[in-house]
């Protein structure tokens, strides 16, 4: 169906905990299993870091859908990736309040501090955000993180970091540079 990887298919390595979460999530949608598509994609990406062909096919089969039903979601929503991102993903909000508070300069500082090419932009839709050569960090813009009162903000993995100044960036990066 799509590209092949040299890495083993993700569907061959589904841990029991993830499988239990998936089964439990499906129970929330008794009328239409299709409605569980997005929750399953989130669970899958949170576990594996991205969604490969086997994940698309496995989720489709689990929900009694065709793979294209899942593929279209993965390529429509910028949040989902078909390629691995860095170990730490820095998502800088660029919506109006954050843009006016300096989000573009903050993204540039994050790129400089992590070694990510500042000129490389990604718009999601299945592609990984720009990633440092050591694979530790990815930096990308995202739309509203719903924290306009504390702009500029960034979501670093699952942590919302608020009121970021350019001077804060090196210390923030150090905090997440664990390996």
């Amino acid at each position: 169906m799509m590209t092949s990887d040299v890495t083993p298919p993700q569907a061959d390595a589904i841990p029991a905990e993830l499988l239990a979460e998936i089964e439990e999530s499906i129970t929330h949608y008794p009328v239409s299993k299709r409605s569980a598509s997005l929750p399953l994609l989130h669970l899958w990406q949170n576990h594996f870091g991205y969604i490969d062909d086997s994940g698309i096919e496995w989720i489709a089969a689990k929900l009694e859908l065709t793979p294209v039903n899942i593929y279209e979601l993965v390529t429509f929503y910028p949040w989902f990736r078909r390629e691995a991102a860095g170990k730490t993903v820095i998502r800088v909000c660029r919506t109006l309040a954050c843009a006016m508070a300096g989000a573009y300069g903050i993204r540039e500082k994050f790129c400089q501090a992590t070694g990510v090419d500042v000129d490389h932009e990604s718009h999601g839709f299945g592609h990984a955000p720009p990633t440092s050569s050591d694979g530790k960090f990815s930096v990308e813009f995202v739309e509203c993180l719903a924290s306009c009162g504390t702009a500029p903000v960034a979501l670093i993995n699952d942590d919302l970091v608020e009121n970021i100044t350019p001077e804060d960036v090196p210390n923030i990066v150090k905090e997440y540079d664990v390996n």
Side-chain angles (χ1 to χ4, degrees), residues 39-80:
L40 267 55
L41 286 170
H42 280 283
L43 288 170
W44 196 275
Q45 184 164 289
N46 288 346
H47 179 77
F48 291 108
Y50 66 101
I51 303 160
D52 73 356
D53 290 349
S54 73
I56 289 173
E57 292 167 7
W58 190 91
I59 290 170
K62 189 74 178 169
L63 300 177
E64 301 171 7
L65 301 169
T66 62
V68 74
N69 297 129
I70 301 302
Y71 182 76
E72 65 190 4
L73 294 172
V74 171
T75 56
F76 177 79
Y77 290 104
W79 193 265
F80 297 121

Side-chain angles (χ1 to χ4, degrees), residues 18-40:
L18 177 60
L19 188 56
E21 284 184 88
I22 288 171
E23 296 289 349
E24 195 277 330
S25 184
I26 292 172
T27 66
H28 295 262
Y29 306 96
V31 176
S32 170
K33 284 184 174 182
R34 185 179 192 145
S35 298
S37 299
L38 289 176
L40 267 55

Side-chain angles (χ1 to χ4, degrees), residues 137-170:
F137 293 96
S138 291
V139 179
E140 66 181 341
F141 274 131
V142 292
E143 300 311 320
C144 191
L145 292 174
S147 190
C148 301
T150 58
V153 300
L155 189 64
I156 303 178
N157 292 336
D158 292 330
D159 304 327
L160 182 66
V161 182
E162 302 167 291
N163 298 310
I164 302 170
T165 67
E167 294 77 25
D168 296 336
V169 169

Side-chain angles (χ1 to χ4, degrees), residues 103-127:
Y104 283 79
I106 296 296
R107 177 191 171 271
E108 189 173 317
K109 288 289 185 188
F110 273 121
C111 287
Q112 292 168 351
T114 59
V116 171
D117 180 1
V118 72
D119 295 322
H120 184 166
E121 285 203 38
S122 171
H123 302 286
F125 307 108
H127 299 288

